[in-house]
């Protein structure tokens, strides 16, 4: 389970090969310094930054970006190094914001080599600072730990490096800024803004991406393999006290900057409605503070619901979260509901465990006294212990029911307001579907619920573009009545689920920006694939046989190689004329049938390298069918997000690790919505290709 740190807290590290994932609301510069046992960086050679991005065991990005992944191998770091500080700074070039108080709180996650999130930390309380020490990794008695620091510097990178004892701090800061400026000059122009409003034209195209795994699930075997994250901002896991907490405490107020020496505000940075005005006073008109010239304004605050009549809570409203657009507000609101439900359930379960342990302790005390084992005195003590247990459980359940009722009310308001990308297949929004002009922030891959209230379902939203592939498991699932014992029935359901997922991905992308390829070696998925084939939304007919498998895999691996070479060479605009820059999805059915060793290697390569360059994988497979490969395919299964075509409790949240029951997005029986949506997409593509 992920450990959520607050400022000053530390946590042991169980891995030596790590990845530090950083998500911010705007491009930031990532750097790191090495320090000795006295906490001082010896020289410029102990600083890694965009101008000198590699040191033994440590590598950072050469450019400023909203999302970073820093690779660290603690086993390769010199013995003289006792501390590694991870630094973030706002770039001076590019005309972006100059203080962290004007952007979303940066989020840092430390993950293992398989993507499993170990530690997360949201850096709150920043205001005028333009550089910050995010976290530090330090050696303690031959073991490594990580500490959440969050120390900001208004003087930027120069002041920060000076504070670390570097005499050439200004020179190093200048070198880093020059490298970032050169990177901006080489980079491709940013995409058009998400809105045409001139006042928002400086806003970045998207908020921080989840740490997939936000947050990114890690799946292996049939155990509870992963975490639903999501991906951060709720698109990333946030240390928070949710509005629906187990003890019924209200949501925290707005986050404010903290003066030096004051208390630190650890409240949730993105689920904070404004407090209601004092009685008798009208609510002030929302007004955004002016930003310096050339800087983006802070995101608009969520609309405040405030109390209703007679002091009762007002009915929830859709979009009651921060964000530039209604789509972003709804996305953040759904993730806030997800976190609230996780935390209030955790509080209830903890209270029940406490009541049971207290009753057992009191009963043990009764039984330990021979005088009270028999007779009326002992019976009275046992009855009192059981009554106290029942009272505590009833109180906890009442608090849980109150929070569940609040979340249910919110869900009933939010669900009908969701856009097509976030909506269920039975939502009326699909009847008026039109192909979008731009990619949405996220897509719905199903619903999640807990056993305390199976009727309260939270949409499972995953950020786009996908940061990892999908595995639709056609193996045996947890089914007490053995209703899915037939292997053929399981494969049919899995392939139908894959087609529903693929159709949704096709529908939420603009025309011409998402291509789908299918490998069906034995043709066993022909019936399920019929909607995709009939409407002509596939890039080509499903590939059959070993020759078809080899052809599709060869073309897609060559595509990945070509894009990688262009990006790594700093010339992404030098791709061949006519190169199709659309995102690509490969659906593989009945794996490993039709795959030789070379094809398996290519498939693993696509799973590992493809998402970064727009090639995504969707596997429809039973892991047992590939058991002959042994541990060779373990990294492949772990790299994919496991989904099931029937309800299954294999996913865990990133906050407290509950086992959530996943419900796949099922098309209503007899509904033609899938056919209608795919027909509309096919028509839009024909118009786009003219």
């Amino acid at each position: 389970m992920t450990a959520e740190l607050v400022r000053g807290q530390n946590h042991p590290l169980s891995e030596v090969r790590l990845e530090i994932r950083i998500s911010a609301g705007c491009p930031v510069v990532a750097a790191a310094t090495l320090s000795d046992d006295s906490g001082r960086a010896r020289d410029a050679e102990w600083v890694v930054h965009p101008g000198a991005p590699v040191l033994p065991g440590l590598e950072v990005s050469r450019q400023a970006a909203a999302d970073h992944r820093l690779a660290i191998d603690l086993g390769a770091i010199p013995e003289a190094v006792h501390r590694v500080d991870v630094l973030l700074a706002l770039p001076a070039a590019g005309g972006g914001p100059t203080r962290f108080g004007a952007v979303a709180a940066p989020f840092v996650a430390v993950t293992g080599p398989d993507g499993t999130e170990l530690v997360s930390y949201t850096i709150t309380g920043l205001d005028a600072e333009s550089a910050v020490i995010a976290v530090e990794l330090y050696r303690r008695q031959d073991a490594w730990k990580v500490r959440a620091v969050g120390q900001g510097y208004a003087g930027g990178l120069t002041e920060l490096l000076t504070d670390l004892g570097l005499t050439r701090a200004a020179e190093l800061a200048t070198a880093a800024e020059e490298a970032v400026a050169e990177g901006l000059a080489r980079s491709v122009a940013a995409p058009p803004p998400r809105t045409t409003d001139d006042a928002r034209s400086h806003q970045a195209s998207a908020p921080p991406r989840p740490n997939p795994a936000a947050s990114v699930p890690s799946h292996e075997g049939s155990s509870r393999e992963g975490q639903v994250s999501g991906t951060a901002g709720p698109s990333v896991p946030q240390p928070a006290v949710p509005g629906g907490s187990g003890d019924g405490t209200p949501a925290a107020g707005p986050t404010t900057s903290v003066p030096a020496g004051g208390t630190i505000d650890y409240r949730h940075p993105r689920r904070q409605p404004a407090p209601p005005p004092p009685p008798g006073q009208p609510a002030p008109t929302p007004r955004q503070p002016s930003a310096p010239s050339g800087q983006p304004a802070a995101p608009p605050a969520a609309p405040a619901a405030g109390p209703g009549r007679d002091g009762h809570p007002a009915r929830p409203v859709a979009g009651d979260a921060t964000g530039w657009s209604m789509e972003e507000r709804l996305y953040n609101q759904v993730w806030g509901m997800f976190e609230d439900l996780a935390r209030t359930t955790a509080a209830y379960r903890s209270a029940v465990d406490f009541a049971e342990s207290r009753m057992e302790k009191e009963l043990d005390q009764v039984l330990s006294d021979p005088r009270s084992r028999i007779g009326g005195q002992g019976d009275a003590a046992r009855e009192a212990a059981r009554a106290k247990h029942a009272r505590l459980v009833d109180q906890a359940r009442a608090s849980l029911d109150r929070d569940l009722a609040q979340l249910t009310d919110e869900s009933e308001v939010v669900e009908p307001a969701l856009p097509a990308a976030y909506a269920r297949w039975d939502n009326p929004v699909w009847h008026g579907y039109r192909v979008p002009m731009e990619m949405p922030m996220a897509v719905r891959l199903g619903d999640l619920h807990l056993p305390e209230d199976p009727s309260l379902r939270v949409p499972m939203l995953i950020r786009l573009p996908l940061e990892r592939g999908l595995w639709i498991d056609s193996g045996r699932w947890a089914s007490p009545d053995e209703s899915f014992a037939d292997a053929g029935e399981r494969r049919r359901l899995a392939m139908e689920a894959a087609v529903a997922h693929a159709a949704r991905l096709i529908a939420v992308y603009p025309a011409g920006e998402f291509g789908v390829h299918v490998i069906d070696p034995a043709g066993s998925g022909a019936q399920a694939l019929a909607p995709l084939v009939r409407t002509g939304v596939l890039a080509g007919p499903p590939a059959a046989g070993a020759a078809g498998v080899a052809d599709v895999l060869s073309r897609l691996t060559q595509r990945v190689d070509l894009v990688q070479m262009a990006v790594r060479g700093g010339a992404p605009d030098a791709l061949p004329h006519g190169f199709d820059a659309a995102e690509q999805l490969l659906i593989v059915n009945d794996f490993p049938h039709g795959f030789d060793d070379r094809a398996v290697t290519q498939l693993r390569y696509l799973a590992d390298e493809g998402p970064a360059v727009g090639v995504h994988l969707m596997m429809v497979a039973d892991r047992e069918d590939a058991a002959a490969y042994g541990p060779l395919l373990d990294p492949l299964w772990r790299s994919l997000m496991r989904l099931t075509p029937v309800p299954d409790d294999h996913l865990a949240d990133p906050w407290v690790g509950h086992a959530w029951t996943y419900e796949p997005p099922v098309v209503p029986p007899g509904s033609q919505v899938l056919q209608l949506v795919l027909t509309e997409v096919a028509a839009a593509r024909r118009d786009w290709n003219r």
Side-chain angles (χ1 to χ4, degrees), residues 87-457:
L87 322 176
L88 303 179
L90 294 170
T98 59
R99 61 187 185 91
F100 277 109
V103 299
F107 174 79
V108 180
V110 181
T111 71
D114 59 352
T116 302
E117 190 172 299
L118 307 175
V119 170
S120 66
Y121 171 45
T122 302
I123 310 174
T124 58
L126 298 178
D127 187 11
E129 298 87 347
S130 59
V132 61
I133 300 177
V135 296
E136 66 178 18
L137 285 66
Y138 62 97
R139 198 195 305 261
R140 183 77 71 215
Q141 296 178 351
D142 295 329
W144 284 89
K145 294 185 177 182
V146 59
R147 176 183 287 117
V149 180
Q151 175 63 51
Y153 294 84
L157 200 55
T158 300
E159 182 182 354
L160 188 156
L161 295 175
T162 301
D163 192 46
L164 292 176
L166 289 161
T167 57
R168 301 164 54 191
E171 180 182 339
L172 287 169
T174 301
E177 290 290 351
E178 290 176 351
V180 170
E182 292 175 2
L184 288 173
R186 294 194 305 266
S187 63
V188 181
R194 298 178 62 86
T195 174
T196 57
D197 188 350
D198 292 337
R200 300 177 183 175
S201 61
H202 295 293
Q203 171 68 7
S205 60
R209 189 172 294 177
N211 183 342
S215 78
V216 206
S218 173
H219 303 275
E220 183 178 7
S222 60
S223 61
R224 296 182 177 93
E225 307 92 338
Q227 295 180 349
V228 182
S229 90
T231 176
S235 38
V236 293
Q238 304 286 350
V241 179
S245 63
D247 57 3
T249 55
T255 302
T256 57
S257 60
V258 182
T263 58
I264 300 173
D265 188 353
Y266 294 128
R267 292 174 293 181
H268 199 298
R270 297 195 182 119
R271 283 256 313 162
Q272 298 172 13
Q281 295 186 18
T285 303
R287 180 179 63 86
Q288 296 299 322
S290 59
S293 177
Q295 297 182 19
R309 295 181 179 179
D310 302 326
H312 296 292
R315 182 171 177 81
V317 296
D320 187 16
T322 58
W324 284 110
S325 63
M326 178 57 73
E327 177 193 5
E328 185 177 349
R329 288 175 180 267
L330 288 169
Y331 173 83
N332 290 341
Q333 186 173 13
V334 167
W335 270 91
M337 293 165 57
F338 182 30
E339 180 177 352
D340 288 354
L341 181 55
R343 293 190 184 279
T344 192
T345 304
Y348 167 72
R349 293 179 180 179
S350 177
V352 171
D353 290 342
F354 169 77
E356 291 178 351
S357 63
R358 181 170 180 172
M359 181 180 67
E360 291 175 358
K361 182 179 179 181
E362 292 177 352
L363 291 177
D364 289 342
Q365 290 176 347
V366 172
L367 295 175
S368 64
D369 187 355
R371 295 171 297 179
S372 60
R373 290 178 185 171
I374 58 176
Q377 183 179 358
D379 292 340
R382 282 188 284 269
E383 287 299 323
R386 295 189 181 99
K388 187 179 297 182
H389 168 267
R391 186 170 63 254
L392 291 174
V393 171
D394 290 343
Q395 290 175 352
R397 185 70 207 194
S399 179
L400 174 67
D401 289 341
R402 181 175 62 250
D403 293 339
L404 292 178
Q406 180 181 348
L407 288 170
T408 299
D409 289 344
E410 188 172 8
S411 177
E412 291 174 351
V413 172
V414 169
E415 189 69 46
L418 294 176
Y422 301 173
R424 291 195 298 253
W425 283 116
D426 59 356
N427 193 308
V429 71
W430 288 106
H431 297 294
Y433 168 77
R434 292 294 182 269
V435 178
M437 299 299 294
E438 60 181 15
M439 181 183 71
M441 290 177 56
V443 67
R444 186 175 189 159
L445 294 184
D447 293 339
L448 298 167
H449 66 83
L450 291 170
E452 280 75 9
D453 189 355
S455 64
L456 178 55
R457 289 177 164 85

Side-chain angles (χ1 to χ4, degrees), residues 424 444-450 454-460 497 501 643-651 660-666:
R424 291 195 298 253
R444 186 175 189 159
L445 294 184
D447 293 339
L448 298 167
H449 66 83
L450 291 170
S455 64
L456 178 55
R457 289 177 164 85
V458 179
M460 178 179 167
H501 288 306
L643 302 176
T644 55
V646 297
D648 190 71
D649 61 346
H650 66 282
L651 293 174
W660 292 75
T661 298
Y662 166 76
E663 296 268 359
V666 179

Side-chain angles (χ1 to χ4, degrees), residues 72-86:
I72 296 182
D73 185 355
L74 297 175
I77 288 179
E79 287 292 330
V81 175
H82 286 256
R83 194 180 78 194
V84 179
D85 291 296
V86 178

